[in-house]
Amino acid sequence: MVATSKSTLRVCCISATIIVLVTIAVLVTLALTVFKPRDPDVVLYPVGLAKLQVDDFISQDSVTSEMVMSIRNRNYASFEFENATSHIKYDGKLVGRVPIVEGTVPARSAFNITAPAVLRAKRLRENPNAINDIVGGSLNLTATVTMHGKMSMLNRLIKKRGSVYTQCHMTIYISEVPIRGESWCWAKLEM
């Protein structure tokens, strides 16, 4: 009878060890593949440019245009971000701001943020390179924003703080009627 209890105990210990090792292997595999944080895809659409004219950049102190930032979250976690401000620069100097209101980007889906971009046309005109670009028909701008927030997954069971750093290069074609723009963005998620 003693021999049977020893062999039963040995089988139980081996079975428990195998179950624990398999569980650890599955969790590590999931953490390194499915739950691995991925950078979001960001696209900036300067949709309000069609309402502007070249004279607005020359005669007014500031020009307001509506911008849409589309964020595609490729992660299995949602991202809840705080209020932020995007800074628009020309030739390394601040020429505009875009206020971004807090929100939540759902897991594995897209989210659009619509906000007014205020460009300081007066600051643009003070830069001699900008005058040449305006006469030439296009402006090259850089917009940067850092969005701080929380990532949560598994129905808010797992939460972690993180930040998304985004930089977009925009070209505004002011010689075309209507005025239009293009952008190329890059985003980095850090946790």
Side-chain angles (χ1 to χ4, degrees), residues 51-84:
K51 299 174 187 172
L52 299 176
Q53 297 176 0
V54 178
D55 295 341
D56 296 336
F57 288 93
I58 296 170
S59 62
Q60 296 182 14
D61 286 344
S62 66
V63 177
T64 302
S65 174
E66 191 172 281
M67 301 289 234
V68 175
M69 183 189 306
S70 180
I71 303 170
R72 196 180 113 224
N73 184 1
R74 303 181 306 151
N75 294 300
Y76 284 91
S78 62
F79 183 68
E80 185 177 335
F81 59 91
E82 303 161 357
N83 288 340

Side-chain angles (χ1 to χ4, degrees), residues 122-188:
K122 185 177 179 181
R123 286 189 186 168
L124 278 171
R125 289 192 305 267
E126 290 171 357
N127 188 326
N129 295 331
I131 300 296
N132 293 336
D133 285 350
I134 290 172
V135 172
S138 67
L139 280 174
N140 293 317
L141 304 170
T142 302
T144 57
V145 65
T146 300
M147 300 166 72
H148 301 287
K150 290 183 283 190
M151 293 188 76
S152 58
M153 67 173 48
L154 299 176
N155 205 14
R156 295 187 176 218
L157 183 65
I158 300 172
K159 293 182 183 180
K160 196 166 189 181
R161 293 212 50 87
S163 298
V164 175
Y165 302 97
T166 305
Q167 183 174 24
C168 294
H169 298 283
M170 295 183 293
T171 300
I172 299 175
Y173 300 102
I174 57 178
S175 63
E176 296 183 11
V177 178
I179 294 175
R180 68 179 184 86
E182 294 178 345
S183 70
W184 301 268
C185 298
W186 131 157
K188 178 74 178 151

Side-chain angles (χ1 to χ4, degrees), residues 87-109:
H87 301 281
I88 301 174
K89 295 182 180 181
Y90 174 80
D91 205 18
K93 294 185 175 65
L94 184 67
V95 294
R97 296 178 193 265
V98 181
I100 298 174
V101 180
E102 66 186 4
T104 302
V105 183
R108 312 242 345 126
S109 62

